[in-house]
């Protein structure tokens, strides 16, 4: 099938892009990498009257580190973050990116595009939630900052209003004493996840802090503080931390998996996947934090 007709504009300034989008009064759509939007257009599941291509807006192409944060502009490709040495400052992102489709898709797809698209089974929204990233949304009334955990409202639904552009995301760079874990189960490599987890562990004097974000199991990424459960499993001592963690996490996982079964997996199967992944990745993240091996190479 071919896309329904649309007008196409390619402004070179952010203010013009915002003005063009506002002028469409909700009928326009931003296009970044086009890896999700183009198939949707071709199937006529979306029929925008205007596409606002943001790829010529120079100020949206920045990938910079400023103090404790990595700043990723709206047109920065996923593959660039995967390869650029700056990307290594956010190890969880580097762990997750190879799971996003295939390399060819990541060469076009943008980090912000994936966040704006808000597929509940996508990897990068889970990373943003786990790290409590900050998103900048820009519209006719200026810029506003939204935490990733408040950005995702449901499947393909976010805090973005029809006249706003997601202009950048800021993620905290890793500090000493932190460790990360990321994994998913999909039917084939490059497919969306049936269930997945992003995990961050921080060692503190009072005990370890642990955050886990699950994806593919609800209509949006689900984040939980697992510090007490990790501390309990660690304090039990001995080998087999992943197994002890699984025992600690049964009730949390039961509560998180909030999707009816579908043609790919039942609810019970997703729970079992999530439990196995959560135990394993939390244990790995703890060991990485303890061993000071938070840097990830790809
Ligand atoms: C075969 C295939 C497999 C894939 N597998 C995966 C996978 O395993 N995991 C995964 O996460 N993704 C997967 N994807 C999608 C992924 O490739 C895209 O990178 C990502 O979802 C969208 O990024 P994009 O820059 O291409 O966005 P686009 O396709 O350009 O846009 C996607 C949506 O977000 C909006 N949008 C984009 N940028 C902005 C912005 N800055 N401000 C406001 N709105 C914006 C668009 O209007 C559109 O609604 C797959 C895609 C394909 C075709």
């Amino acid at each position: 099938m071919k896309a329904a007709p649309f007008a196409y504009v390619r402004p070179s300034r952010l203010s013009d892009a915002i003005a063009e989008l506002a002028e469409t009064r909700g009928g326009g759509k931003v296009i970044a990498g086009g890896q999700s939007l183009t198939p949707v257009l071709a199937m006529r599941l979306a029929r925008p009257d205007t596409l606002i291509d943001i790829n010529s807006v120079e100020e949206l192409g920045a990938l910079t580190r400023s103090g404790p944060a990595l700043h990723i502009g709206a047109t920065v490709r996923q593959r660039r973050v995967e390869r650029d040495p700056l990307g290594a400052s956010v190890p969880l992102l580097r762990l997750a990116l190879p799971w996003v489709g295939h390399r060819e898709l990541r060469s076009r797809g943008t980090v912000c595009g994936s966040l704006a698209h808000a597929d509940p089974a996508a990897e990068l929204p889970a990373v943003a939630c786990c790290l409590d990233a900050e998103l900048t949304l820009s519209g006719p009334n200026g810029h506003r900052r939204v935490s990733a955990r408040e950005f995702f409202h449901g499947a393909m639904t976010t805090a973005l209003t029809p006249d706003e552009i997601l202009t950048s995301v800021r993620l905290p760079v890793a500090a000493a004493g932190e460790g990360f874990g990321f994994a998913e189960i999909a039917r084939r490599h490059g497919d969306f996840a049936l269930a997945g987890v992003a995990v961050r562990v921080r060692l503190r004097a009072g005990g370890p802090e642990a955050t886990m974000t699950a994806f593919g199991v609800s209509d949006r990424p689900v984040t939980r503080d697992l510090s007490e459960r990790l501390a309990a499993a660690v304090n039990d001592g001995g080998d087999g931390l992943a197994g002890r963690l699984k025992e600690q996490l049964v009730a949390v996982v039961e509560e998180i998996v909030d999707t009816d079964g579908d043609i790919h997996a039942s609810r019970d199967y997703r729970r079992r996947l999530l439990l196995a992944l959560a135990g394993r990745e939390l244990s790995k993240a703890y060991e990485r934090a303890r061993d000071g091996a938070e840097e990830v190479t790809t």
Side-chain angles (χ1 to χ4, degrees), residues 32 72-76 78 110-117 124 166-169:
I72 304 175
T75 60
V76 174
Q78 295 156 4
T110 63
V111 172
C112 287
S114 174
L115 302 180
H117 188 58
L124 301 183
L166 169 56
T167 40
S168 68
V169 56

Side-chain angles (χ1 to χ4, degrees), residues 2 14 42 58 69 88 90-91 105 123 232 235 265 270 280 293:
K2 284 186 183 158
L14 177 59
E58 212 171 303
V90 183
L105 295 162
E123 294 80 7
N235 290 340
R270 280 196 164 87
R280 193 183 75 195

Side-chain angles (χ1 to χ4, degrees), residues 29-30 32-37 78 101 105 109-110 116 122-123 166 190 192:
K29 266 207 164 293
V30 170
Q35 298 306 293
S36 294
L37 185 55
Q78 295 156 4
L105 295 162
T110 63
E123 294 80 7
L166 169 56
F192 283 95

Side-chain angles (χ1 to χ4, degrees), residues 33-68:
Q35 298 306 293
S36 294
L37 185 55
T38 316
V40 165
L41 291 176
M43 288 185 276
R44 299 201 173 191
L45 294 172
R47 293 166 177 247
D49 52 41
T50 309
L51 285 194
I52 294 96
D53 185 338
I54 55 174
N55 284 286
S56 292
V57 180
E58 212 171 303
E59 66 202 274
L60 297 181
L63 174 66
T64 52
R65 180 172 167 179
S66 157

